[in-house]
Amino acid sequence: MEMRQLGDLWPVSALTLGGGGLGQIWGKTDRAEAVATARLAADLGITLFDMAPLYGRGEAEEVMGEAFEGLLPEGARVTTKCMLGSPEPEEVAAKLERSLQRSLKAMRLERVDLFFLHSNICPDEYVYGEEAETQDRWATRLSLYADHVVPALEGLKEKGLIGDWGITGTGLPVSIMEALRLETRPAVVQAVANLLDSAGSMRRFEEPPEPRNIIRTAKNNDVGVMGIRAVQAGALTEAIDRPLEADNPDYKDYEKAAPFRALCKELGEDPALIAHRYALSMDGVDTVVLGVKNREELRACVTAAEKGPLEAELRKRVDALRLNFQFPRMPIG
């Protein structure tokens, strides 16, 4: 397994095992298969495991606890997350620590290596076009983030409960990039890394998503990048593996990606594996998070990664399909 430097932290495997598949978000599996998949990932050289309590309502973290019984393989590192929203400032630290302690208990660990703020980060006065009435449950105002969330996360580091912290970069791009430029900035950002430049159903705003600008801004500020949504929730695979309504953003992306599937068919290649190799080839991406749900899918992704990042000529052919949201402008700073 190729190793890559994750920002200023440590080397990690080019592939990360995500918790979405283990938590049965990406189609059905069972506990035994998920546990076996986590163990096989370690055997195949994956050193980073990306969990969250939202993945199957704690199922993914329970899988980690059962798979390793609190004794992680040598060199393995674990992340988890908290969907904080915008509580009252005096509640921030306690809410973050309660969420973290629940995750530690489920995974049978005393600390995690990275703890991510999993909320959208947005400007203080921003009102989302949809679900505005609930946005304080899943969106964190930028001033609350800077003045209260960051100090609380630093406090968890001082307590030894986390090695460091990061943010999920799927909120308003202007706010995400501002967070990456602050004096006290995250060690890592999780950023969309796929050929569509799409977060699909994770995107809650109308403005351009700008994931490549977010990645560039992270690199400009020495922040590590974990690439997420490499196959965009199944949109970049041969077939969606779960029922979706026609107006679901992930299904719309699947329809949009038809030219990509046609190109892969012409080449005799599996679209999902080409999509993963594309993500691995993106400038600034340190590790790509897998959403696999069983050992078969895991082995296929590892085999693809062994071929290395997508060749320049093939990447040009993929980019020539012009499927991404927009060809983004260069960020400043």
Side-chain angles (χ1 to χ4, degrees):
M1 177 68 64
E2 176 192 1
M3 300 294 288
R4 298 180 176 185
Q5 182 68 25
L6 182 61
D8 286 338
L9 296 178
W10 357 261
V12 297
S13 51
L15 297 179
T16 292
L17 184 66
L22 303 184
Q24 303 186 37
I25 290 177
W26 310 128
K28 295 292 289 184
T29 187
D30 58 38
R31 173 70 68 87
E33 181 59 31
V35 167
T37 300
R39 291 172 177 164
L40 178 61
D43 291 343
L44 293 175
I46 288 177
T47 66
L48 191 58
F49 296 79
D50 182 48
M51 301 296 124
L54 288 176
Y55 298 156
R57 297 185 178 181
E59 176 64 14
E61 293 181 331
E62 293 286 348
V63 165
M64 285 294 292
E66 185 171 331
F68 301 113
E69 299 180 329
L71 299 173
L72 297 174
E74 184 176 357
R77 300 183 185 276
V78 175
T79 83
T80 192
K81 307 179 181 73
C82 176
M83 180 73 79
L84 178 69
S86 291
E88 293 300 318
E90 63 272 16
E91 298 174 357
V92 167
K95 282 181 174 289
L96 286 170
E97 185 163 351
R98 280 199 301 271
S99 175
L100 175 61
Q101 291 287 5
R102 287 193 296 268
S103 294
L104 292 174
K105 182 178 180 180
M107 293 190 287
R108 311 182 198 180
L109 299 174
E110 295 183 354
R111 69 187 292 277
V112 293
D113 297 280
L114 281 167
F115 187 42
F116 284 91
L117 175 69
H118 205 33
S119 310
N120 272 232
I121 301 176
C122 67
D124 282 8
E125 304 305 321
Y126 187 85
V127 178
Y128 286 80
E130 297 183 8
E131 302 181 76
E133 68 281 0
T134 64
Q135 72 178 58
D136 281 347
R137 299 179 191 171
W138 43 264
T140 299
R141 310 285 179 177
L142 184 58
S143 65
L144 183 71
Y145 167 81
D147 296 339
H148 298 278
V149 176
V150 170
L153 291 168
E154 288 291 311
L156 292 173
K157 280 176 62 177
E158 293 174 5
K159 290 183 177 182
L161 294 173
I162 65 176
D164 220 314
W165 58 272
I167 60 175
T168 301
T170 55
L172 269 291
V174 63
S175 297
I176 297 299
M177 289 188 276
E178 178 64 22
L180 296 174
R181 298 184 185 109
L182 292 175
E183 182 177 355
T184 304
R185 59 183 67 99
V188 179
V189 61
Q190 295 201 347
V192 168
N194 62 54
L195 60 94
L196 295 170
D197 287 352
S198 175
S201 56
M202 285 184 71
R203 179 168 163 239
R204 295 174 179 263
F205 51 87
E206 295 300 322
E207 291 83 349
E210 302 190 61
R212 301 189 196 213
N213 279 345
I214 289 170
I215 292 170
R216 291 190 187 103
T217 302
K219 291 293 106 175
N220 289 344
N221 292 280
D222 301 317
V223 175
V225 176
M226 294 174 65
I228 60 174
R229 295 253 165 169
V231 295
Q232 205 322 72
L236 295 171
T237 65
E238 186 62 41
I240 297 283
D241 60 0
R242 63 197 187 283
L244 294 176
E245 300 292 335
D247 61 350
N248 183 285
D250 299 332
Y251 188 78
K252 288 182 177 180
D253 277 350
Y254 176 76
E255 292 184 314
K256 182 180 180 180
F260 171 67
R261 291 193 297 279
L263 174 61
C264 291
K265 184 175 182 179
E266 175 189 335
L267 298 171
E269 297 280 1
D270 182 338
L273 303 188
I274 294 296
H276 278 106
R277 293 183 63 207
Y278 183 98
L280 286 166
S281 74
M282 291 180 67
D283 293 340
V285 173
D286 300 322
T287 183
V288 172
V289 180
L290 302 178
V292 298
K293 59 183 177 293
N294 55 49
R295 285 171 287 180
E296 180 182 1
E297 292 177 354
L298 172 63
R299 289 190 182 97
C301 288
V302 170
T303 298
E306 288 172 349
K307 296 180 180 180
L310 208 59
E311 296 83 356
E313 189 58 37
L314 181 49
R315 175 157 175 182
K316 286 180 181 178
R317 293 188 66 181
V318 173
D319 286 337
L321 299 172
R322 298 182 70 87
L323 298 178
N324 56 331
F325 191 90
Q326 64 174 8
F327 287 107
R329 59 179 172 78
M330 292 292 290
I332 300 174

